[in-house]
Structure formats: structure tokens, C-alpha cells
Amino acid sequence: MKSSAKEIKKIIREGYARAVTQNIACCSAGSCCGNTSKAKDISKTVGYSDSEINAVPEGANLGFGCGNPVALASLKEGDVVLDLGSGAGFDAFLSAQRVGKAGRVIGVDMTPGMVAKAKENARKGEYSNVEFRLGEIEKLPVEDNSIDVIISNCVINLSPDKKGVFKEAHRVLKSGGRLMVSDLVLAKDLPKEIKDSIEAYVGCLAGAIKKDEYLKLITMSGFKDVLVISESSYPVDAMFDNLEAAQDAVVSIKISAIKK
């Protein structure tokens, strides 16, 4: 039976709460999760450099990403950046280093434990230009027309209301503001046993939709110049064991778009 949006969010929130309280890494609170070393390996696989991985406080990188949106975003001094699904703060802290003291980074996450962990990491790293807010990416606790750049890393595909996410992103961006997303989409349908799997939902797979549909939702939300910067087959075995059936179905995609 298909889960409701409320049930899906509960599954995701509980899964990521376990991930942060147990200090485990990767896109699931399930069998593949390991330690900080595993998180570093995953991050290198999806595009982070050693210097970026080592530049953030210990515990900020949980290995949840499927790309490096900070590298895509061409951030500059003074930018106001919003990180959708900020987790323990990895991408937010990397962004903060690029925008400098004149800039600001806001991270939004729906898991209280993640927000608490991110705030703790900000204190440890003495990041004065970063703040973390508890909230849902379908209903952002952010003012209209206040953000220069939105980044997100393997989070929007988890949402049961992706159109709502992109409409909210469009609302909070300034005119000329940029959306820079790394996410997972589908090249073909997932096997039913994976699509129905609770573990796969937490691991970013079951919520993924076809690439064309994903791009259409961005355009329908008012964005212009929607561009696929790159795409590649995603190493599903980095997240789960025994998912060969899904290997060719999952694609890591990097997308940019502009609010005119």
C-alpha cells in the first residue's frame, strides 16, 4: 500500500535521527552505514576534494550527498546562501568559507537532531555567519526574496511534494537568484521491492522520479534557464548491498536554474 506524505516524512525523519544519534554514515540508517571513514569515502566518490572534506568540523560530514553543489554554485563574497536539507552542516560550512564574513548561510532541516548537531558543529568551528533552522523544505522558514543562492544535496528527491519545494525555492530567492542542486533521478523505473522499501526511502532511492519530470517541475515553479550541468550513473552499491537491480536506474544529476 502506498504511504502518505505524512508517513513518508515520519520514515525519513526517524531514519536520519538514528543516523545522527548513532554517528553513522551514508544515505541510510540501514545496513550499509558505517563510520566517519565511510562518509569520507562516499564524499570523495561524489565530488568533494580532500581539502573540502578536511575543512569542516568533525561530524559535519555524514556522507549523505550525491554530488557537490557548493562547487557548482560559484559562490562569491557577500552572498546569502540557503541550504535545503542541511543535515549536520557539511555544505553550509563549505559555503560559509566562500561567502566570507560579509555573507551568510542558512541551513534548513526537518530533523531536530540534525539541527542540534549542526548548531554544535557551528560552535565548534566558530562559524559566525551560519545559522540552522528547523523546518520543512516544502514550507521554508525564510523570508520572500531574501536569498542569492540555494543549494541542495540529495534531499529534494526525498520529498513527496517536489513541486512544493521548487515553488518555495522560487519564493525565497531574489530576482536573479540561482538554484544549484545535486540530486538523484531515475533513468528507468525502480523495481517494486526497492520502491516500496522503507530503507530505500531513507537512502534517497524510493522517492526519486524520472529526470524529465524533475526538470519539468522546476520550470513549472517559475524558474528559467534550467540547465543539466552533468549527470552520471550513481554507485548504488555505495549506499546499499544487493541492489544490482537498481544500478542502471539511478542517475546523479547536477542542475542549475535562475529566478528571473
Side-chain angles (χ1 to χ4, degrees):
M1 188 173 76
K2 188 174 182 180
S3 298
S4 68
K6 186 176 180 179
E7 289 169 332
I8 290 167
K9 285 189 177 183
K10 183 174 183 289
I11 290 166
I12 295 168
R13 187 180 286 111
E14 290 175 350
Y16 281 104
R18 287 197 302 274
V20 71
T21 56
Q22 298 172 20
N23 196 31
I24 52 181
C26 80
C27 277
S28 165
S31 60
C32 81
C33 294
N35 52 26
T36 303
S37 176
K38 178 75 170 179
K40 289 181 178 180
D41 290 344
I42 292 171
S43 295
K44 289 175 72 171
T45 298
V46 300
Y48 291 92
S49 67
D50 286 327
S51 61
E52 287 175 316
I53 292 169
N54 295 326
V56 299
E58 186 71 26
N61 177 18
L62 298 177
F64 288 170
C66 57
N68 182 350
V70 179
L72 302 175
S74 302
L75 300 178
K76 62 183 185 295
E77 190 87 12
D79 275 342
V80 179
V81 180
L82 174 63
D83 184 6
L84 304 183
S86 48
F90 185 30
D91 289 324
F93 297 134
L94 291 178
S95 298
Q97 294 165 16
R98 298 196 182 195
V99 303
K101 291 183 179 179
R104 187 160 59 101
V105 181
I106 302 167
V108 173
D109 201 282
M110 71 171 184
T111 306
M114 283 293 185
V115 173
K117 181 69 172 175
K119 289 181 176 180
E120 176 190 337
N121 289 332
R123 288 192 294 270
K124 286 192 299 185
E126 298 182 348
Y127 286 89
S128 59
N129 60 343
V130 182
E131 64 172 298
F132 295 97
R133 301 176 183 177
L134 181 65
E136 298 184 350
I137 59 176
E138 302 88 352
K139 193 174 182 180
L140 290 167
V142 180
E143 294 178 357
D144 295 358
N145 308 308
S146 60
I147 303 297
D148 294 302
V149 181
I150 291 178
I151 61 172
S152 186
N153 194 350
C154 206
V155 170
I156 296 173
N157 78 77
L158 287 168
S159 172
D161 181 17
K162 296 170 182 61
K163 183 178 180 180
V165 175
F166 291 126
K167 287 180 72 68
E168 277 290 272
H170 191 272
R171 175 183 67 80
V172 304
L173 276 172
K174 299 175 183 177
S175 179
R178 293 169 289 145
L179 176 72
M180 298 285 176
V181 173
S182 295
D183 214 344
L184 297 182
V185 295
L186 299 180
K188 63 181 183 182
D189 290 332
L190 287 171
K192 187 176 186 302
E193 65 270 20
I194 294 173
K195 196 167 183 64
D196 292 345
S197 166
I198 289 176
E199 186 177 63
Y201 243 117
V202 181
C204 309
L205 294 184
I209 60 177
K210 295 286 188 65
K211 181 181 76 173
D212 289 348
E213 182 182 355
Y214 192 100
L215 297 175
K216 183 178 179 181
L217 289 176
I218 298 175
T219 301
M220 288 174 60
S221 300
F223 285 97
K224 307 297 183 183
D225 300 335
V226 180
L227 177 66
V228 177
I229 297 172
S230 67
E231 61 181 274
S232 59
S233 177
Y234 188 73
V236 174
D237 57 354
M239 298 197 305
F240 297 104
D241 296 325
N242 303 317
L243 284 190
E244 292 86 355
Q247 188 64 60
D248 295 334
V250 184
V251 177
S252 175
I253 193 167
K254 298 172 180 63
I255 301 167
S256 68
I258 296 175
K259 176 181 177 178
K260 293 293 190 180

